[in-house]
Amino acid sequence: MTGRGRRHSPERGALPPPPAAAAAATVAALVPSPRSRRCRLALSPAPAMARAQGARGLLVAAALLGFLQACSSFEVKDPSGKVCIIANLTVAFSVEYKSSGQKEFAHFRLPQNATVESQSSCGTGNTSHPLLVLGFGAGHSLSLNFSEAKDTYQVEELVFSYNLSDATLFRNSTAAGMKRVSHGSIIQAHMGTEYRCVNSKQVNMKNVNVTFSNVTLEAYLVNGTFSMNKTECAEDMVSTTAVVPTTPKQTTSHVPTTSHVPTTGPAPTATPPSPEVGKYNVSGANGTCILAYMGLQLNITYEKKDGKMGLDLLNFMPRNTTSSGTCNKMSAFLFLTYNNTKVIFHFALNTTAEKFFLQGVNISTVLPSEAKALRFEAWNNSMSELRATVGNSYKCSAEENLRVMDNAFVNVFNVQLQVFKIDGNKFGAVEECQLDENNMLIPIIVGAALAGLVLIVLIAYLIGRKRSHAGYQTI
């Protein structure tokens, strides 16, 4: 990374998540009930939840309902019927495949009707280890191979097998047959404790991204149920890190974007200005399929080599950014590359509601040399943002924070966007975002209040004047 447009602070934590992400962070893990094999909610004692009132409470309830619908619980038993593995988890898959020479992506979740396959076992001493195999769809399966070492247990290998012949998921796939990908240790916990991870944990395996969330599991069970003690994942602990103010919505001062912040001393108070608005478009067989105007900023919190947290802000410079993309009837991709940073926006079509929306964002970048891990990758393929009716354009002047991970956000500014149906390479009718509508409403309310105050003063003046005239008599 050349450093242009980037600013990083060694002593600052993550920028605060947007309100929706902050509300979601107060929701604790979904804990399975082994007897009913259904998911029950365990609410966090966080004060924010305790103070939730009115509309906020409704939003949290909606989030809880979404978690409940996505939750799946599974058990593995030995021949005597004793439970040795309980797993309660939500899993999202993103698989890249070829269709007519073009790159396509299939996005799907582990369904609630997935089954525990016969290959699953509790293991036998040193001969074999516990194994959980979940089967679903047309021959797809997800395997978690457990092992133990001293006082810990772990998922030693994650294996995902998928069938490209499944036309329901992989439409018009050029290849066919079964594919298998695997990954090393992804989960580790102390023996005799329940592993819990509310936040997303992503695993990249060649052409496959697997995202775990709301995970509660335990292997090597003694009493056939979850232990009282818990091991919390690193992703959940990151979300409790101290935060710093977000970038200002508006700024009139110019701060150089090529400066390199020193790694010692107090954190700087200057923040980079809003990024310059870039104009990007993608063309398909039927003409322009993506038309986007927006300023783009990456916001990444990372761990440094000394164990402290650093903040990396990167403004995309449109004149140095290359764009490309692909599209078909149901999905469209916008690829943006700035130096050695890449961002992929995945848009999808809801045919029932006749609306387009942002379904996924992928980030790939290189962090400053002080970072513990220089290469950074993150993705979220279960989003529903920047939504508008097909044929119309989505517009938002306010800053919007798109959560990719708890420590990675894509901030977009002055957005106007239209996907799929675009006539004459021009934006259609505008649909304003909620943030802009709220910003417009505030001046109206203030103006009405001032007008009401003036009216009250005028009426009081007239009444007082009338009373003063009534106190005198003509001589």
Side-chain angles (χ1 to χ4, degrees):
M1 174 61 67
T2 64
R4 182 165 188 173
R6 167 165 292 193
R7 187 178 188 87
H8 61 94
S9 169
E11 306 298 334
R12 303 172 73 178
L15 288 181
T26 64
V27 181
L30 288 169
V31 182
S33 174
R35 292 182 180 179
S36 65
R37 292 180 55 77
R38 293 186 180 183
C39 298
R40 58 183 174 84
L41 294 174
L43 299 182
S44 168
M49 282 292 288
R51 295 192 300 266
Q53 300 288 338
R56 185 181 179 187
L58 291 176
L59 288 173
V60 173
L64 295 180
L65 179 60
F67 284 138
L68 186 60
Q69 291 173 339
C71 174
S72 299
S73 183
F74 308 96
E75 296 176 352
V76 176
K77 300 179 181 180
D78 64 14
S80 67
K82 181 180 178 181
V83 178
C84 63
I85 302 175
I86 302 178
N88 170 38
L89 70 174
T90 299
V91 188
F93 302 91
S94 177
V95 182
E96 178 186 328
Y97 67 100
K98 294 291 185 179
S99 174
S100 302
Q102 291 188 339
K103 181 190 298 184
E104 298 288 348
F105 288 87
H107 303 285
F108 50 95
R109 290 180 177 272
L110 179 71
Q112 287 185 303
N113 62 358
T115 58
V116 178
E117 297 296 295
S118 58
Q119 304 98 301
S120 302
S121 73
C122 293
T124 54
N126 296 326
T127 306
S128 62
H129 296 289
L131 172 65
L132 172 62
V133 182
L134 304 175
F136 63 98
H140 315 296
S141 67
L142 181 69
S143 302
L144 283 75
N145 301 275
F146 293 88
S147 66
E148 60 177 322
K150 295 182 180 180
D151 60 344
T152 62
Y153 68 90
Q154 63 180 1
V155 176
E156 186 174 283
E157 185 181 31
L158 177 72
V159 180
F160 176 50
S161 299
Y162 57 100
N163 183 9
L164 288 175
S165 300
D166 183 358
T168 304
L169 296 179
F170 306 102
R171 301 173 187 170
N172 304 317
S173 174
T174 304
M178 297 297 300
K179 298 291 182 180
R180 181 184 184 275
V181 292
S182 63
H183 194 280
S185 177
I186 62 165
I187 291 174
Q188 188 176 58
H190 294 290
M191 192 66 72
T193 67
E194 163 196 307
Y195 173 85
R196 175 175 292 188
C197 197
V198 178
N199 290 307
S200 298
K201 189 180 188 70
Q202 301 179 359
V203 182
N204 186 12
M205 300 181 288
K206 295 183 180 179
N207 297 328
V208 177
N209 292 332
V210 180
T211 303
F212 291 89
S213 58
N214 306 308
V215 176
T216 308
L217 65 80
E218 187 173 351
Y220 300 96
L221 291 169
V222 177
N223 299 319
T225 186
F226 281 118
S227 301
M228 295 298 294
N229 296 324
K230 298 175 176 61
T231 296
E232 186 179 10
C233 68
E235 287 75 9
D236 283 2
M237 290 187 284
V238 168
S239 64
T240 61
T241 305
V243 297
V244 297
T246 184
T247 52
K249 296 290 188 297
Q250 297 178 346
T251 178
T252 55
S253 61
H254 177 72
V255 180
T257 58
T258 57
S259 61
H260 206 63
V261 180
T263 58
T264 59
T269 57
T271 55
S274 299
E276 182 182 345
V277 174
K279 301 179 180 181
Y280 313 103
N281 63 76
V282 176
S283 298
N286 299 319
T288 303
C289 57
I290 298 178
L291 189 59
Y293 292 1
M294 61 181 173
L296 187 62
Q297 180 186 77
L298 296 191
N299 170 357
I300 300 172
T301 302
Y302 61 91
E303 183 180 2
K304 299 196 303 178
K305 295 174 183 178
D306 60 5
K308 297 180 180 180
M309 301 304 294
L311 176 64
D312 195 20
L313 293 178
L314 171 65
N315 283 354
F316 271 52
M317 310 292 285
R319 60 182 176 274
N320 298 327
T321 300
T322 58
S323 64
S324 61
T326 62
C327 54
N328 55 38
K329 293 181 179 180
M330 298 299 296
S331 61
F333 294 86
L334 173 62
F335 304 94
L336 299 180
T337 302
Y338 173 61
N339 294 337
N340 53 5
T341 298
K342 296 181 180 179
V343 176
I344 302 175
F345 293 94
H346 173 206
F347 300 94
L349 175 64
N350 184 330
T351 55
T352 303
E354 294 187 348
K355 290 182 179 291
F356 68 83
F357 62 97
L358 177 66
Q359 186 180 62
V361 175
N362 289 42
I363 300 173
S364 175
T365 189
V366 176
L367 296 174
S369 58
E370 65 189 10
K372 186 175 181 180
L374 294 180
R375 192 70 190 175
F376 181 87
E377 294 184 356
W379 54 88
N380 184 349
N381 295 314
S382 56
M383 304 170 70
S384 183
E385 308 290 344
L386 314 184
R387 180 183 295 265
T389 304
V390 174
N392 293 350
S393 64
Y394 174 91
K395 188 174 183 180
C396 197
S397 300
E399 175 188 344
E400 293 188 87
N401 308 114
L402 307 177
R403 176 188 175 278
V404 183
M405 293 179 65
D406 288 330
N407 64 329
F409 288 83
V410 174
N411 302 329
V412 290
F413 300 74
N414 299 309
V415 178
Q416 187 166 10
L417 170 74
Q418 190 165 338
V419 187
F420 296 117
K421 184 180 178 181
I422 302 172
D423 296 329
N425 291 328
K426 295 181 179 180
F427 288 115
V430 171
E431 293 186 19
E432 298 281 352
C433 67
Q434 189 63 47
L435 289 172
D436 282 0
E437 291 179 359
N438 293 342
N439 290 340
M440 292 174 62
L441 187 61
I442 291 174
I444 293 174
I445 294 174
V446 172
L450 291 175
L453 182 61
V454 170
L455 182 61
I456 292 172
V457 171
L458 180 60
I459 294 172
Y461 169 74
L462 293 175
I463 293 174
R465 183 179 180 186
K466 184 177 181 180
R467 287 180 177 177
S468 65
H469 280 294
Y472 295 93
Q473 295 183 354
T474 304
I475 298 177

